[in-house]
């Protein structure tokens, strides 16, 4: 069994480790023994745990899961040269990673929150010679897509990385609207969840415009509701959301 070494023991590390633990040996590097123990108990299997200071990454396959602001401070605490570093850090360039961490190769990966339920949409870019390995590793937590440039990865971050938050806003707002009209809160939440579950399946095969046309009968209820969304500039707000999130990703 090959070993994957996680640097960082937060939420994203745990989600990815859950997907990989059946196929790979898991090793975790952190800065608090208590948090390393918690990580192990949440994973539910015995793993190798190490403190970060002076940890030797030589020839290791690293899953780098700290925060973007920690790259420099973590880099100086590690020694040796990794085989490859897979970074999940939002907006952190291959150059910055290479400047602060010694590794033969670097691949940036951008998973999303659905990694915790094995349904992440993960984008990847970086050293082409690790494309196949990156896709195989990250497919343990959902779908993957290799992109050719870091700019594309930053745009994809705005779409799929941040996307769960945008859809959560829509989901909550629609449920609130139903409550406003008199539907009970628990009925409203259950129906909204069912809606998103079904929609998740439909959108895999049907173009969004055709989906909308299929449900919108002339002069009907959907047409009335849909017009209200357009009046509220939801389309334009979504386009702006991607633009602002992309801009932010390039400034981290
Ligand atoms: N959550 C998402 O949906 C998502 C999606 C895509 C990408 N990402 C990326 O994933 C990365 C991790 O996110 P997360 O949700 O896993 O965050 P998290 O749960 O807060 O975990 C952050 C990790 O970084 C460590 N850390 C924080 N400050 C540190 C420091 N000064 N020195 C050393 N280690 C430090 C933490 O250690 P302690 O446990 O000891 O505090 C923890 O292990 C971020 O870079 C984010 O951009 C997240």
């Amino acid at each position: 069994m090959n070993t994957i070494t996680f640097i960082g023991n937060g939420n994203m590390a745990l989600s990815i480790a859950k997907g990989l633990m059946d196929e790979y040996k898991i090793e975790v590097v952190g800065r608090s023994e208590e948090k390393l123990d918690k990580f192990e108990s949440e994973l539910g299997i015995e793993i190798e745990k190490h403190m970060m200071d002076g940890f030797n990454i030589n020839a290791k396959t690293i899953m780098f899961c700290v925060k973007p602001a920690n790259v420099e401070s973590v880099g100086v605490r590690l020694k040796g040269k990794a085989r490859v570093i897979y970074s999940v850090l939002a907006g952190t360039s291959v150059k910055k990673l290479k400047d602060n961490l010694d590794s033969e190769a670097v691949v940036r990966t951008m998973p999303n929150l659905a990694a915790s339920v094995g349904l992440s949409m993960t984008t990847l870019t970086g050293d082409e010679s690790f494309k196949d390995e990156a896709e195989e590793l990250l497919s343990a937590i959902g779908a993957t897509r290799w992109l050719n440039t870091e700019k594309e990865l930053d745009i994809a971050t705005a779409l799929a990385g941040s996307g769960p938050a945008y859809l959560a806003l829509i989901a909550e707002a629609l449920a609130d609207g139903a409550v406003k009209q008199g539907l009970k809160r628990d009925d409203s939440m259950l129906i909204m969840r069912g809606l998103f579950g079904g929609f998740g399946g439909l959108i895999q095969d049907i173009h969004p415009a055709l989906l909308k046309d299929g449900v919108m009968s002339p002069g009907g209820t959907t047409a009335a509701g849909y017009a209200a969304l357009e009046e509220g500039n939801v389309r334009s707000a979504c386009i702006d959301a991607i633009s602002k999130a992309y801009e932010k990703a390039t400034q981290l």
Side-chain angles (χ1 to χ4, degrees):
M1 238 187 195
N2 292 329
T3 301
I4 306 293
T5 305
F6 286 80
I7 297 187
N9 45 228
N11 295 320
M12 198 38 79
L14 186 66
S15 296
I16 298 174
K18 278 183 181 162
L20 294 178
M21 66 184 198
D22 294 338
E23 307 276 331
Y24 300 87
K25 216 173 131 210
I26 306 292
E27 179 175 62
V28 184
V29 181
R31 55 180 182 156
S32 134
E33 280 182 18
E34 201 187 326
K35 289 201 174 150
L36 286 169
D37 288 343
K38 186 165 171 264
F39 186 96
E40 184 174 47
S41 79
E42 282 178 17
L43 206 54
I45 55 159
E46 212 170 289
I47 55 171
E48 282 210 32
K49 295 168 287 182
H50 302 277
M51 293 303 282
M52 200 173 276
D53 278 323
F55 182 77
N56 192 344
I57 59 173
N58 211 42
K60 288 186 182 286
T61 299
I62 305 287
M63 198 61 76
F64 195 57
C65 300
V66 297
K67 295 280 191 184
N70 313 140
V71 182
E72 288 97 341
S73 65
V74 170
V76 295
R77 296 163 88 168
L78 304 170
K79 62 181 188 193
K81 185 171 192 168
R83 172 181 168 265
V84 54
I85 290 178
Y86 295 104
S87 162
V88 304
L89 276 55
T92 308
S93 67
V94 168
K95 180 177 184 311
K96 183 167 183 190
L97 292 161
K98 280 191 169 157
D99 285 349
N100 289 282
L101 303 160
D102 205 3
S103 180
E104 300 284 345
V106 169
V107 173
R108 284 182 63 188
T109 81
M110 185 44 58
N112 70 12
L113 206 58
S116 60
V117 290
L119 291 172
S120 174
M121 177 64 242
T122 306
T123 45
L124 309 156
T125 197
D127 194 315
E128 286 266 357
S129 59
F130 281 85
K131 178 174 184 273
D132 291 347
E133 184 178 299
E135 285 177 335
E136 193 190 324
L137 265 182
L138 275 304
S139 68
I141 53 162
T144 64
R145 181 76 162 185
W146 183 272
L147 301 171
N148 290 328
T149 65
E150 291 194 73
K151 176 179 176 176
E152 289 171 303
L153 189 96
D154 287 334
I155 299 171
T157 300
L159 179 59
S162 309
Y166 312 150
L167 295 183
L169 182 151
I170 303 274
E172 188 185 29
L174 293 176
D176 283 350
V179 171
K180 185 179 179 216
Q181 296 308 314
L183 198 62
K184 289 193 191 69
R185 173 60 69 182
D186 59 344
D187 288 334
S188 187
M189 294 300 280
L190 184 137
I191 293 164
M192 174 276 290
R193 290 193 166 110
L195 162 69
F196 271 74
F199 179 78
L202 285 173
I203 200 72
Q204 298 308 316
D205 300 320
I206 309 176
H207 187 286
L210 296 179
L211 243 177
K212 178 259 296 172
D213 286 0
V215 68
M216 193 191 285
S217 38
T221 51
T222 304
Y226 192 88
L229 291 175
E230 293 286 22
E231 274 166 34
N233 285 324
V234 172
R235 181 186 301 269
S236 151
C238 287
I239 291 169
D240 279 351
I242 301 294
S243 159
K244 295 281 182 208
Y246 166 61
E247 200 182 307
K248 190 77 183 173
T250 60
Q251 291 165 357
L252 284 177

